Amino acid sequence: MGESVILGIKDLYKSFGGVAAINGLTLDVLEREVHAVIGPNGAGKTTLVSQLTGVGLPDAGQVVFRGRDITRMPAYRRPHLGMARSFQITSIIHDMTVLENVVLAVQAKAGHSYRFWESAIVDDQLTEPAMRALTQVGLEAEAMQIAGPLSHGEHRQLELAMVLATDPELVFLDEPTAGMGREDSTRMVSMLESLKGSRTIILVEHDMDAVFALADRITVMVEGRAIATGTPDVIRADRLVREAYLGEDMNTAVK
Amino acid sequence: MKSLTLRGWVTLIGLVVLALLPVFINRQLPLTILQQWPWLGGHFDFVTFLTGQEFYLVLATRLVILAIAAVSLNLILGYGRMISFGHAAYLGIGAYAVGIPAYYEIYNGFIHIGIAVVVSAAFAFLTGLVCLRTRGVNFIMITMAFSMMVFFAFVSIEEYGGDDGLVIEVRSEFGQWVNLENDTVLYYVCFVSLLGILYLIRRIVHSRFGMVIQGARGNEGRMQSLGFDTFRYRLVCYVIAGALCGYAGALLGNFTSFISPEMMDWTRSGELIFMVVLGGTSSLFGPVLGASLFILLEEILSGFWLYWQLIFGIFLILVVLFAKGGIDSWLGRRPER
């Protein structure tokens, strides 16, 4: 883990109809760390991810990526700086094959797509990295199937493959284990573990097992604000955090 | 050789029928060709068509031109899910791109086609900048509104006939080898254009660009989070479709030899949508099937009953209800591609 800041968030505000979803959040994410963001429902975690990925624009505050102010940069330009995200609610292209979904992710990073003549799906420059990403998440056997009818677990794997295929430096994972059973969830966590150290990951997650297994540092969000940031041990021991959020759950979840 | 599917056979037979149609209609066709290209043989007298037979050639030419327009609409409607209710505007622009220069006694076909394509592309670009910021019903309404603006613009220009339209006395000239004044030659120019445009669309749809367009149809938010500026890709697609339809319009102008703003009425746009939906959206050959069935049904039904559109409407409802994906889905197309 390096010590330099890859993503700096300063005094971020975002409200919807007078209700503050993010209320003066300040946070530094370090190079190559897995930084988990936890908090009760409605704490503003998903809103935070959309503000950081440009899907929504903050009312006030600043987001700096590698020294560059990206607060108001449109969503489609951010991946070209090396950012990628997965969605809490699976977001894939249902009527395309698994491979085509990932090919699009590779294509996004392979320069412009104003190429009108050669077929994309037989282009090795696209399909080879795509197949690599699918192999990485264990979905290579399903490459030629239409993505829509696959299982929920497979959708989550595809979602991750699309993130990996863009070879990002900074990844936002919004509840990668959402809706998964124990088995799938464990597999997903070990898959994410293998990514540790190679890129920066901002992990929003409800599953405390996953969070404490993966995170280098944890930020606890309550009512749109970061009430604590620190290593898992520090967060475990923090009285404020226990009172505000973890409570009884924490004892059972983290033993 | 790979064995053909039912779809493949229908496509092949459809194209062969269209290719050979004039031969059946006019048995003296070889003579016509020889007359067209005198350096192939001797000089022949003017070939007269039997009235009834010529009628079918006229029908087929209209069919092929509208098929080109439907194929171009399918690029945005089917592959991009941009449901334009103003596509007939490009037919009109293309037709006037022949009519207005002809009015000033400029008959060069390359100029006509050039104007048709460039003006259509420019119109698509400028209106697309606005339309493509909307989605769904709003997109339908705003594309229709722009096409009505063109409609009323031509209605109000008295110089070019206004409401009454404009007669084109002389068809586009392309030098001595392609004489559009001959109906058979015009038909083949249209038919070859259809083949060329089908091939072009096939390449585009499978290209990187086509993947982006289809990806944005499926999940635009995801495409943006992957790093695609979907607005610009859609705009380029919109411009390509407009330019192709403008080309079809130039053929239509040559074919009808009488053009009026009525060609770009919103009901005409509706008919184009009808053809695409009938044949099968986002299928390459579907719109050709749709246009063919449309023209044939129109011809047959209108002979039976004054209110034939009523039957037509019921027919479309049945197609939409029971054959999602149009005729092409009956022929065993894999779903939603």
Side-chain angles (χ1 to χ4, degrees):
Chain A
M1 201 206 311
E3 286 305 303
S4 58
V5 175
I6 186 168
L7 187 75
I9 305 155
K10 228 176 112 186
D11 291 327
L12 207 66
Y13 286 88
K14 177 72 180 182
S15 60
F16 297 103
V19 181
I22 297 176
N23 198 358
L25 183 125
T26 298
L27 181 65
D28 281 338
V29 179
L30 303 178
E31 195 95 44
R32 289 174 198 275
E33 70 170 341
V34 175
H35 195 122
V37 178
I38 62 174
N41 279 325
K45 302 183 299 290
T46 292
T47 308
L48 176 65
V49 173
S50 39
Q51 303 308 303
L52 299 181
T53 52
V55 173
L57 294 179
D59 301 331
Q62 204 185 26
V63 183
V64 176
F65 179 74
R66 287 197 190 291
R68 183 171 176 183
D69 188 337
I70 59 162
T71 318
R72 316 224 141 250
M73 181 183 278
Y76 62 82
R77 282 184 52 202
R78 298 181 192 221
H80 300 285
L81 301 180
M83 302 164 74
R85 79 173 288 192
S86 77
F87 289 77
Q88 181 183 359
I89 296 160
T90 302
S91 184
I92 55 172
I93 297 143
H94 285 257
D95 58 6
M96 286 189 162
T97 66
V98 168
L99 181 63
E100 285 169 332
N101 268 277
V102 189
V103 158
L104 274 172
V106 179
Q107 215 180 294
K109 281 297 282 284
H112 70 79
S113 287
Y114 294 103
R115 299 201 195 169
F116 302 91
W117 206 246
E118 300 90 9
S119 177
I121 205 69
V122 296
D123 185 343
D124 291 345
Q125 287 176 339
L126 298 177
T127 52
E128 272 173 16
M131 282 310 292
R132 265 205 303 281
L134 282 174
T135 310
Q136 217 174 336
V137 301
L139 209 58
E140 71 275 17
E142 282 76 22
M144 293 305 165
Q145 293 189 35
I146 301 287
L150 295 181
S151 73
H152 178 76
E154 288 165 327
H155 281 169
R156 301 307 291 171
Q157 285 168 275
L158 173 56
E159 181 90 44
L160 186 63
M162 289 168 79
V163 169
L164 296 178
T166 64
D167 193 25
E169 291 171 50
L170 173 62
V171 184
F172 298 91
L173 300 176
D174 196 353
E175 296 200 29
T177 66
M180 277 185 168
R182 233 339 83 189
E183 204 176 304
D184 282 346
S185 176
T186 312
R187 267 209 318 176
M188 178 62 82
V189 170
S190 61
M191 213 139 56
L192 295 177
E193 238 162 0
S194 69
L195 299 177
K196 258 186 92 151
S198 63
R199 40 195 114 223
T200 313
I201 298 176
I202 295 177
L203 175 70
V204 173
E205 187 53 78
H206 270 302
D207 181 346
M208 287 304 141
D209 283 349
V211 168
F212 281 94
L214 289 168
D216 296 309
R217 292 200 303 154
I218 299 173
T219 290
V220 182
M221 259 182 97
V222 175
E223 288 170 1
R225 217 184 297 246
I227 61 162
T229 296
T231 62
D233 289 338
V234 170
I235 294 298
R236 238 187 231 119
D238 193 311
R239 240 195 55 212
L240 200 62
V241 173
R242 283 175 171 264
E243 279 169 17
Y245 167 52
L246 293 170
E248 294 305 309
D249 282 1
M250 171 118 173
N251 297 322
T252 50
V254 194
K255 279 146 221 161
Chain B
M1 198 181 121
K2 220 166 55 173
S3 66
L4 281 170
T5 58
L6 178 60
R7 280 185 79 204
W9 279 112
V10 171
T11 309
L12 187 68
I13 292 168
L15 289 177
V16 168
V17 167
L18 286 176
L20 297 180
L21 204 67
V23 181
F24 295 120
I25 289 167
N26 171 22
R27 297 211 181 96
Q28 290 175 290
L29 182 79
L31 306 185
T32 319
I33 291 174
L34 290 176
Q35 189 194 33
Q36 276 302 307
W37 291 286
W39 40 272
L40 276 178
H43 180 75
F44 292 90
D45 288 337
F46 183 70
V47 181
T48 49
F49 297 101
L50 292 174
T51 332
Q53 291 173 326
E54 192 191 356
F55 165 75
Y56 287 112
L57 188 64
V58 167
L59 194 69
T61 311
R62 194 163 139 251
L63 186 157
V64 169
I65 292 171
L66 290 178
I68 296 174
V71 165
S72 75
L73 175 61
N74 186 38
L75 181 62
I76 49 175
L77 190 154
Y79 293 103
R81 195 141 307 154
M82 294 172 257
I83 304 169
S84 167
F85 218 114
H87 211 58
Y90 302 100
L91 280 180
I93 290 171
Y96 274 93
V98 176
I100 293 174
Y103 180 77
Y104 295 110
E105 294 176 3
I106 299 166
Y107 300 115
N108 186 322
F110 296 104
I111 292 177
H112 293 171
I113 300 268
I115 294 174
V117 170
V118 169
V119 173
S120 294
F123 181 70
F125 177 76
L126 292 174
T127 59
L129 281 176
V130 181
C131 298
L132 291 168
R133 300 195 185 274
T134 66
R135 291 285 175 276
V137 176
N138 294 324
F139 182 80
I140 296 175
M141 296 309 288
I142 199 164
T143 48
M144 188 199 266
F146 275 121
S147 79
M148 291 310 281
M149 277 169 56
V150 184
F151 173 86
F152 285 115
F154 279 105
V155 165
S156 62
I157 302 174
E158 290 296 328
E159 183 70 9
Y160 308 127
D163 223 354
D164 297 330
L166 193 62
V167 175
I168 301 177
E169 309 268 3
V170 183
R171 285 177 177 169
S172 301
E173 289 170 355
F174 289 94
Q176 54 174 325
W177 290 313
V178 181
N179 180 6
L180 293 190
E181 295 298 337
N182 181 303
D183 288 338
T184 307
V185 173
L186 177 65
Y187 175 78
Y188 275 113
V189 167
C190 295
F191 179 67
V192 170
S193 300
L194 174 64
L195 290 183
I197 285 170
L198 280 173
Y199 181 66
L200 181 70
I201 301 243
R202 191 192 148 81
R203 295 305 296 234
I204 289 176
V205 164
H206 290 98
S207 72
R208 291 189 184 200
F209 178 79
M211 291 283 286
V212 175
I213 292 301
Q214 290 173 84
R217 170 187 69 185
N219 189 339
E220 187 168 12
R222 179 48 140 171
M223 290 299 284
Q224 285 172 352
S225 78
L226 283 176
F228 292 106
D229 184 355
T230 50
F231 175 79
R232 277 174 58 184
Y233 284 97
R234 280 165 174 266
L235 183 61
V236 170
C237 188
Y238 195 70
V239 168
I240 293 172
L244 291 177
C245 195
Y247 177 80
L251 295 177
L252 190 63
N254 272 296
F255 163 70
T256 58
S257 70
F258 166 73
I259 57 177
S260 77
E262 195 271 336
M263 296 165 83
M264 40 191 137
D265 192 64
W266 66 274
T267 56
R268 297 283 164 201
S269 299
E271 286 175 5
L272 290 177
I273 294 178
F274 194 138
M275 291 172 197
V276 174
V277 172
L278 187 62
T281 53
S282 62
S283 116
L284 184 67
F285 200 65
V288 181
L289 296 175
S292 307
L293 193 60
F294 184 96
I295 299 292
L296 293 177
L297 277 179
E298 183 186 60
E299 206 50 52
I300 296 165
L301 292 177
S302 61
F304 280 127
W305 196 23
L306 187 60
Y307 304 107
W308 58 275
Q309 275 118 333
L310 186 63
I311 306 174
F312 221 22
I314 294 169
F315 180 73
L316 181 66
I317 291 168
L318 291 177
V319 169
V320 171
L321 282 181
F322 296 109
K324 293 200 178 86
I327 302 171
D328 208 40
S329 70
W330 292 337
L331 305 177
R333 180 166 65 114
R334 75 173 164 130
E336 213 22 44
R337 280 309 303 278

